[in-house]
Amino acid sequence: DRQLDTAWTTSSYNDQLGPGGLKTGVGLVIDLQGSHEVERVDIAFGGEPHGVDLYLTDEPPTGVAGLTRVAGVQAAADKVSIPLERPTTGRYLIVWLTSLPRSDGGFRGSVAEVVVRGD
């Protein structure tokens, strides 16, 4: 919506995400309304740092298990541009947060904007 003050926000967690945490990650699915080649994804977060992995698939996902990761970063800033390891085609982009910033005594993530770049 191009409004950085509106965002998708995770629940608050007492522990950090990741292999030693309660869960390995949390994310959102973006339907690209058809299969498209994706080269880069620009994300604006509501705070920092965020760890993020990207997945792209043609089938409606129910999680990331079994999907191939196409890119990932540990974003130290509130805006990041993530190039895919190679241009990949798919309909559903999964933005999977693997670590969250501290917030109110716990951990909470926020995604304010996602721009998909490609064909």
Side-chain angles (χ1 to χ4, degrees), residues 31-46:
D31 185 348
L32 302 177
Q33 300 297 309
S35 191
H36 296 277
E37 184 176 85
V38 177
E39 297 175 1
R40 186 177 89 226
V41 177
D42 301 333
I43 303 175
F45 297 106

Side-chain angles (χ1 to χ4, degrees), residues 23-81:
K23 54 195 330 183
T24 60
V26 62
L28 64 135
V29 176
I30 298 167
D31 185 348
L32 302 177
Q33 300 297 309
S35 191
H36 296 277
E37 184 176 85
V38 177
E39 297 175 1
R40 186 177 89 226
V41 177
D42 301 333
I43 303 175
F45 297 106
E48 75 275 333
H50 281 80
V52 60
D53 286 341
L54 302 176
Y55 298 86
L56 199 60
T57 180
D58 280 316
E59 299 299 319
T62 57
V64 296
L67 298 179
T68 301
R69 179 181 162 273
V70 295
V73 298
Q74 184 64 38
D78 61 352
K79 293 181 182 173
V80 65
S81 183

